[in-house]
Amino acid sequence: MTAEIISGTALRATMLAELHDEVTTIRSRHGCVPGLVTILVGSNPASVSYVSLKIKTANSLGFHEIQDNQPEDITEAELLALIDRYNNDPSIHGILVQLPLPRHIDATKVLYAISPEKDVDGFHPVNLGRLLIGGKAVNFLPCTPAGIQELIVRSGTETSGAEVVVVGRSNIVGKPIAVMMGQKGKGGNATVTLVHTGSRELGAHCRRADILIVAAGVPGLVKPDWIKPGATVIDVGVNRVGFNEETSKPILSGDVDFEAARQVAGKITPVPGGVGPMTITMLMKNTIRSAWLHLRP
Ligand code: GUN
């Protein structure tokens, strides 16, 4: 039996329709239009492409969207001043600085300068601290982990009591999703193991997983015999393994050997079309949440 495909593309469509309704509600009830600024420094092609998709999605939801493109040679001080301006702009609820930044700018300093109340990426230490505390303390979940949890829950995979193995310990994906899956509440309550490049017996850990989340950035790392039959497999890897001359687009591959894995897994996300489409969707969700939070007295 082959695995059920968990489609991020389909879930994105469902969630964007839900978010569109929420924008209508907040506008009609409170006269509030969610505002998002995307700050892009320079013209890295991948960043240009990501940012244009974020802008297109924000516009499709009826957001107030500011596209703030800055030259490659902007100084760190100028960028910090720009962020300060948006921190104090009441029409803006979310500030997104696209990464990576040029080498002469300290990205950590820039991300920490964004007001935690407008940090819709969920990268600020205040928001990561709130995530660690959990429950009502949570402000903004980082977008990729939030998308992963949404895919798991809406695919009907039971998380309570499940063995979850997370491969990879990045601040953006591995560490936050491991915490989120272990928290009390919906989509959590799992027993979590976090494995990484320093772990012995990677395969043995993965084989125990009812839910295997792989965010290692190594194409084809997870072999079919690392997967427990019937497990739910979430592949976060987006590896460029070639270039398609006909479509002029990169050829993408995940961290899981997809064709082999789908013969063993119960449910699996494809690459592309799995986790990827969820990240921008959750950014939009965070921006609307921020707009609601800003309405509070
Ligand atoms: N660059 C690649 N992914 C992301 C993301 O999720 N947020 C930001 N700000 N930059 C990125």
Side-chain angles (χ1 to χ4, degrees):
M1 213 181 82
T2 56
E4 178 188 322
I5 304 294
I6 305 176
S7 168
T9 314
L11 183 52
R12 169 176 61 188
T14 305
M15 286 196 68
L16 288 179
E18 292 168 7
L19 294 176
H20 195 275
D21 288 349
E22 213 180 321
V23 173
T24 306
T25 305
I26 194 169
R27 197 175 44 215
S28 61
R29 284 205 201 143
H30 301 279
C32 171
V33 178
L36 175 69
V37 58
T38 50
I39 302 175
L40 172 65
V41 178
S43 54
N44 172 313
S47 293
V48 170
S49 151
Y50 281 133
V51 166
S52 22
L53 202 52
K54 289 171 187 177
I55 294 165
K56 197 172 128 201
T57 311
N59 285 330
S60 77
L61 291 175
F63 282 13
H64 164 52
E65 219 296 323
I66 297 180
Q67 180 179 359
D68 195 332
N69 292 354
Q70 294 293 329
E72 181 87 21
D73 62 356
I74 186 174
T75 66
E76 187 179 282
E78 285 167 336
L79 185 55
L80 292 173
L82 190 66
I83 289 169
D84 192 49
R85 217 181 74 206
Y86 289 119
N87 279 342
N88 292 297
D89 179 342
S91 75
I92 292 297
H93 307 102
I95 301 172
L96 179 127
V97 178
Q98 186 66 23
L99 302 175
L101 287 167
R103 288 156 67 95
H104 67 278
I105 297 176
D106 181 346
T108 304
K109 211 164 163 185
V110 169
L111 293 180
Y112 289 16
I114 296 171
S115 162
E117 313 302 320
K118 298 191 178 186
D119 167 43
V120 285
D121 254 330
F123 292 165
H124 194 285
V126 166
N127 287 320
L128 288 171
R130 284 174 168 269
L131 177 154
L132 201 58
I133 294 165
K136 288 200 165 68
V138 174
N139 207 2
F140 301 114
L141 293 172
C143 301
T144 301
I148 293 169
Q149 198 172 37
E150 204 69 60
L151 284 166
I152 292 171
V153 170
R154 298 213 198 193
S155 73
T157 301
E158 180 57 73
T159 62
S160 189
E163 290 283 341
V164 171
V165 175
V166 178
V167 185
R169 55 179 154 185
S170 69
N171 289 328
I172 293 179
V173 183
K175 280 193 256 182
I177 191 65
V179 170
M180 287 159 61
M181 299 304 297
Q183 299 281 29
K184 274 194 178 153
K186 190 163 174 251
N189 212 27
T191 306
V192 182
T193 306
L194 179 69
V195 295
H196 45 75
T197 45
S199 301
R200 280 183 283 124
E201 305 286 351
L202 259 183
H205 283 293
C206 293
R207 265 190 293 276
R208 283 199 342 264
D210 300 310
I211 302 171
L212 179 61
I213 301 170
V214 193
V218 181
L221 173 72
V222 173
K223 310 289 182 283
D225 66 334
W226 288 21
I227 297 169
K228 178 174 168 178
T232 292
V233 178
I234 307 291
D235 188 352
V236 193
V238 185
N239 306 293
R240 289 169 189 236
V241 293
F243 192 78
N244 186 329
E245 301 290 346
E246 270 176 33
T247 60
S248 296
K249 285 189 176 159
I251 300 167
L252 301 178
S253 169
D255 290 352
V256 177
D257 178 351
F258 178 78
E259 283 309 325
R262 67 187 295 199
Q263 306 304 323
V264 186
K267 296 174 185 165
I268 187 166
T269 57
V271 177
V275 175
M278 295 305 293
T279 300
I280 294 181
T281 308
M282 302 317 287
L283 176 74
M284 302 300 136
K285 187 172 177 186
N286 276 347
T287 306
I288 297 170
R289 174 173 169 77
S290 179
W292 282 112
L293 292 174
H294 277 82
L295 285 174
R296 286 198 311 208

